[in-house]
Amino acid sequence: MSVADIFEERAAFSFEVFPPKTDVGMEKLCGAGGVLEQLYTLNPDYISCTYGAGGTNVGKNLEVLDKIQKDGKCTPVTHFTCIGNTREGIKEQLENYLAHGIDHMLALRGDLPFGWTGTGGDLHYATELVKFVRKEFGDKFTIAVAGSPEGHIACRSLEADIGFLKQKQDEGADYIMTQLCWDMDQFKYWLEAIRNAGIWMPVDVGIMPILDQAATINMALSRNGCVMPRKLCEIISKNWIFPSPFSVGLKTAKGDEACFDADIEGKKASFKEAGIEYTINQIDEYRACGIDGIHLYALNKYEDVARIVKESGIVDL
Ligand code: FAD
């Protein structure tokens, strides 16, 4: 059953993983008894795998998705971007995914690598990618597209961004996977606005578990400009690692430890505890908005993610 068909029947639930850079990381994710096999026990409808800028990790992305496909426990979904890709290259790669039985994709422009001003490829926006895939492959792929409830960081206005989202639907996209958004008032505003704009695509909400201070700040601010509600800021402040969570493990110019906080481990643990509770509350709030699915960034971890899934009651286990 395609993911689009699942949305017709009920809310979907899925994970996102990324292709590890090292062989040790790959073994941990894809090896026997590894994280993927553990995640299957939580009954996700699909697992998506990210795609690196310029296709730098294409081999490992395919390896991860190939395992999910062969294991047959849920649907593999590849992320795919325009960055550095020619039309011919896109066609070849997508044919290869199909040859491996992977027929679900998240069609993205892609994050521009540092210093780049454009995609460096033949296609410039996700709208063009959706159009191209439908032209070349017809209905062979189920196509998800990104939606940004706060507006994409580079969009000239939220209205323009919603217009481009509608264009993705008109070009043949099947459902939306959302960018991080902790601001629930903004999310509700956006949800109403897209429906008013004639966007009927199901909305699968992307949620990053709040487990690590530096990673949370980084994810919110390095690219996406996400609003952080006061409650989340309080959790960060109350567990602040001095001089900054980014100093952990670094050395000063004199060769000393840059981080002088005496309770790094204690603060990490209490941050994670409060973050898990925050994430579960966020899932409750989203489900109460009538969304179509929860897409949890598994961050290639099992234990903390399993706790969130079980305690939030997203699935019957
Ligand atoms: P687009 O929809 O193309 O929009 C990009 C910008 O251009 C926006 O500001 C939009 O308003 C504007 N725009 C869109 N169409 C037009 C047009 N026709 N003319 C003028 N302006 C236009 N990145 C990766 O590199 N790899 C990943 O695996 C990855 N996974 C992701 C998963 C999810 C769930 C999400 C939400 C994002 C992911 N990203 C990933 C990040 C994504 O690639 C970036 O957010 C990127 O900056 C924008 O991608 P997009 O598909 O939303 O772009």
Side-chain angles (χ1 to χ4, degrees), residues 16 50-51 79 81 106-111 125-127 146 152 154-155 161 164 167-168 177-179 297:
E16 177 169 319
T50 61
Y51 179 97
H79 298 205
T81 78
L106 168 60
L108 298 157
R109 181 197 70 178
D111 277 328
Y125 297 106
T127 44
H152 181 262
C155 69
D161 212 38
F164 294 127
Q167 214 171 315
K168 294 180 194 181
M177 290 168 72
T178 63
Q179 186 54 272
Y297 300 3

Side-chain angles (χ1 to χ4, degrees), residues 89-115:
I90 293 172
K91 213 172 148 198
E92 268 173 34
Q93 289 176 69
L94 294 183
E95 275 165 358
N96 198 22
Y97 282 118
L98 285 178
H100 284 80
I102 297 152
D103 58 5
H104 281 63
M105 67 183 292
L106 168 60
L108 298 157
R109 181 197 70 178
D111 277 328
L112 302 184
F114 183 70

Side-chain angles (χ1 to χ4, degrees), residues 21-261:
K21 290 198 173 76
T22 63
D23 290 344
V24 173
M26 279 302 280
E27 183 58 27
K28 227 179 119 200
L29 181 65
C30 299
V35 170
L36 280 178
E37 293 183 7
Q38 292 176 306
L39 290 175
Y40 301 151
T41 64
L42 300 170
N43 297 338
D45 293 304
Y46 72 87
I47 298 181
S48 75
C49 183
T50 61
Y51 179 97
T56 43
N57 62 1
V58 169
K60 290 209 161 67
N61 155 288
L62 187 57
E63 221 177 301
V64 172
L65 291 160
D66 204 27
K67 171 171 171 68
I68 299 170
Q69 166 62 17
K70 286 191 175 126
D71 288 343
K73 303 286 185 193
C74 65
T75 302
V77 176
T78 187
H79 298 205
F80 192 83
T81 78
C82 305
I83 307 289
N85 275 326
T86 59
R87 283 191 178 79
E88 205 43 48
I90 293 172
K91 213 172 148 198
E92 268 173 34
Q93 289 176 69
L94 294 183
E95 275 165 358
N96 198 22
Y97 282 118
L98 285 178
H100 284 80
I102 297 152
D103 58 5
H104 281 63
M105 67 183 292
L106 168 60
L108 298 157
R109 181 197 70 178
D111 277 328
L112 302 184
F114 183 70
W116 290 34
T117 51
T119 62
D122 287 345
L123 307 182
H124 309 98
Y125 297 106
T127 44
E128 294 174 24
L129 181 57
V130 175
K131 188 176 183 175
F132 180 78
V133 176
R134 282 290 176 244
K135 179 171 161 280
E136 295 294 333
F137 295 93
D139 287 337
K140 285 186 181 154
F141 281 97
T142 296
I143 306 179
V145 287
S148 302
E150 293 174 285
H152 181 262
I153 191 70
C155 69
R156 60 177 176 265
S157 68
L158 184 63
E159 289 71 26
D161 212 38
I162 290 173
F164 294 127
L165 188 56
K166 172 72 164 57
Q167 214 171 315
K168 294 180 194 181
Q169 174 177 290
D170 294 344
E171 299 295 1
D174 294 301
Y175 72 101
I176 300 168
M177 290 168 72
T178 63
Q179 186 54 272
L180 284 188
C181 177
W182 288 298
D183 182 342
M184 293 309 298
D185 289 338
Q186 175 62 27
F187 180 80
K188 287 173 196 164
Y189 175 83
W190 174 82
L191 193 57
E192 197 180 337
I194 65 166
R195 296 307 185 216
N196 287 339
I199 299 172
W200 47 256
M201 287 187 285
V203 174
D204 200 9
V205 171
I207 293 186
M208 184 180 80
I210 311 282
L211 302 175
D212 178 85
Q213 222 175 80
T216 302
I217 300 168
N218 200 24
M219 192 68 180
L221 300 181
S222 69
R223 285 187 185 274
N224 300 320
C226 289
V227 165
M228 287 184 157
R230 166 76 186 187
K231 175 82 184 136
L232 180 54
C233 293
E234 274 178 21
I235 295 172
I236 293 172
S237 295
K238 283 179 183 165
N239 297 287
W240 192 258
I241 295 171
F242 288 92
S244 105
F246 296 101
S247 65
V248 178
L250 297 181
K251 302 271 184 203
T252 65
K254 289 183 182 163
D256 303 323
E257 291 295 331
C259 188
F260 49 73
D261 200 311

